[in-house]
Amino acid sequence: MSNGIRAMWIRGGTSKGGYFLASDLPDDRDAALLSIMGSPDIRQIDGMGGADPLTSKVAVVQKSEREGVDVDYLFLQVFVDQPIVTDAQNCGNILAGVGPFAIERGLVVARDEETPVTIYMENTGQIATAIVQTPGGHVTYQGDAQIDGAPGTSAPIPIAFKDTAGSSCGALLPTGNVVDVINGVEVTMIDNGMPCVVMRAEDMGIFGDETPEDLEENADLRAKLEVIRLTCGPMMNLGDVTKKSVPKMTMVSASRKGGAIATRTFIPHRCHKTIGVLGAVSVATACLLKGSVAYDLADKGAGAKRDLKIEHPTGEMTVVAKLEGKSVASAAILRTARKLMDGEVFP
């Protein structure tokens, strides 16, 4: 029998996955992770994955040597039905579990009441600060915070992001345009933490309030989205994205429940049951960007601080955006996490 690998399984935000110390992973990391998750297999029956991209995720964490930074975090997306492990994107939901994991593994010394953990996101070269609840110097996952897309309540983990513009694409608007036309469809290509192609739902032939299952069954929609995605990839400085999980494809429409805007996002070939944290930041930024495809559809609020509720299939995600002039200077979001398992997994 192969040797086990130390791991912790955590629900981070509306995703869940395996959290590993970098030093615990073998040299053939990707092969081990594919085996651990049970990929490629649409059921991932022979592994820990949950047959969905949102449950086939990995965080690799290590003590940081960067000044003012506690830990380095590398996010890896393990494809479900293909033998692919990619670091082409970040994940703000899995990020929510990095702080608690780092404290539990002794990488960060817990303070009484709450502990800030400064995290360098290796995928994008950006920094986030997560506030972890640590009463008595120990991580607690119990609390009254609730986020849509995850049942029950947990301890709050507010996460603040700065300088995320162009994290993967080199610029907030990688083409230099607020709007481009791809295959007759107006799109806004934007990267404020997550590369996204934002388009109007009606331009894609949908209303924007359909269930993810209905949208996944719409073969014409999926084909049209993929043609646009493959065209946008090189334009966004992402190269050939055929085997990449970026850019995310977000269709927007007017709010249904009093939020800023409604979304349906493909990630890229499955329809997200919610919306990614950094994807929500990018969409919120598009809502505030005059001339974008989202601008006229959005309830943008007013003032230097805007609470933008980004609606998704199972609720909403609130992005708190601070503006300096017409630019988004920083964004914060509330997440929760829960430890599910600590032990060994076997590749």
Side-chain angles (χ1 to χ4, degrees):
M1 179 180 289
S2 61
N3 292 326
I5 298 174
R6 191 183 186 199
M8 189 179 292
W9 238 254
I10 298 175
R11 175 191 60 76
T14 54
S15 297
K16 67 180 176 181
Y19 290 68
F20 299 84
L21 291 177
S23 58
D24 286 337
L25 287 169
D27 292 338
D28 57 346
R29 182 196 70 187
D30 289 2
L33 293 177
L34 286 167
S35 179
I36 287 167
M37 287 297 186
S39 299
D41 172 36
I42 59 171
R43 293 198 299 157
Q44 291 183 317
I45 193 64
D46 198 37
M48 297 290 289
D52 190 291
L54 301 183
T55 59
S56 189
K57 298 185 172 186
V58 167
V60 182
V61 182
Q62 61 184 335
K63 186 78 173 176
S64 183
E65 296 182 357
R66 295 174 171 84
E67 185 177 355
V69 176
D70 294 310
V71 294
D72 296 341
Y73 152 58
L74 176 69
F75 170 71
L76 298 172
Q77 178 71 61
V78 182
F79 278 49
V80 174
D81 56 352
Q82 300 179 62
I84 296 173
V85 178
T86 177
D87 63 359
Q89 68 174 79
N90 205 340
C91 180
N93 276 304
I94 293 298
L95 173 66
V98 171
F101 175 76
I103 295 170
E104 293 232 37
R105 284 290 188 261
L107 302 182
V108 176
V109 177
R111 303 178 186 178
D112 192 16
E113 298 304 329
E114 62 182 29
T115 303
V117 181
T118 303
I119 303 162
Y120 178 80
M121 298 176 283
E122 294 188 53
N123 304 75
T124 58
Q126 307 299 319
I127 292 175
T129 300
I131 306 298
V132 181
Q133 303 303 301
T134 52
H138 300 283
V139 175
T140 182
Y141 298 93
Q142 298 180 342
D144 297 326
Q146 190 274 331
I147 60 171
D148 289 334
T153 63
S154 301
I157 303 177
I159 304 174
F161 302 93
K162 286 187 177 180
D163 302 322
T164 51
S167 59
S168 297
C169 302
L172 179 69
L173 298 171
T175 69
N177 303 319
V178 177
V179 171
D180 291 279
V181 179
I182 308 296
N183 282 21
V185 177
E186 288 190 336
V187 305
T188 294
M189 301 183 220
I190 190 167
D191 173 16
N192 199 12
M194 178 64 68
C196 292
V197 179
V198 183
M199 66 214 84
R200 300 180 191 93
E202 64 177 359
D203 291 345
M204 300 301 293
I206 67 171
F207 293 105
D209 59 0
E210 294 86 349
T211 67
E213 292 76 16
D214 285 343
L215 293 179
E216 286 187 5
E217 291 176 0
N218 187 334
D220 290 341
L221 171 66
R222 292 178 63 182
K224 192 173 183 179
L225 283 170
E226 185 65 358
V227 169
I228 294 173
R229 191 179 79 87
L230 294 178
T231 302
C232 289
M235 296 175 68
M236 298 179 74
N237 302 317
L238 296 170
D240 181 0
V241 297
T242 303
K243 295 184 178 181
K244 295 181 180 179
S245 53
V246 288
K248 308 304 185 187
M249 307 296 288
T250 298
M251 295 168 283
V252 296
S253 57
S255 165
R256 302 303 199 279
K257 300 179 180 179
I261 202 161
T263 65
R264 293 294 185 270
T265 301
F266 274 73
I267 55 171
H269 305 123
R270 298 284 297 273
C271 187
H272 208 312
K273 302 300 189 296
T274 57
I275 188 171
V277 168
L278 292 165
V281 172
S282 289
V283 171
T285 304
C287 290
L288 299 173
L289 192 60
K290 189 172 183 179
S292 78
V293 298
Y295 187 82
D296 288 337
L297 292 170
D299 182 349
K300 297 172 281 294
K305 181 179 178 182
R306 313 280 182 92
D307 289 356
L308 299 175
K309 293 183 177 182
I310 308 301
E311 296 177 2
H312 54 72
T314 53
E316 58 88 7
M317 185 181 298
T318 299
V319 177
V320 181
K322 292 183 179 179
L323 280 66
E324 290 182 0
K326 296 181 179 180
S327 301
V328 176
S330 66
I333 204 153
L334 177 66
R335 295 284 83 189
T336 65
R338 188 168 83 88
K339 181 169 69 172
L340 305 174
M341 184 280 293
D342 192 0
E344 291 184 336
V345 289
F346 294 85

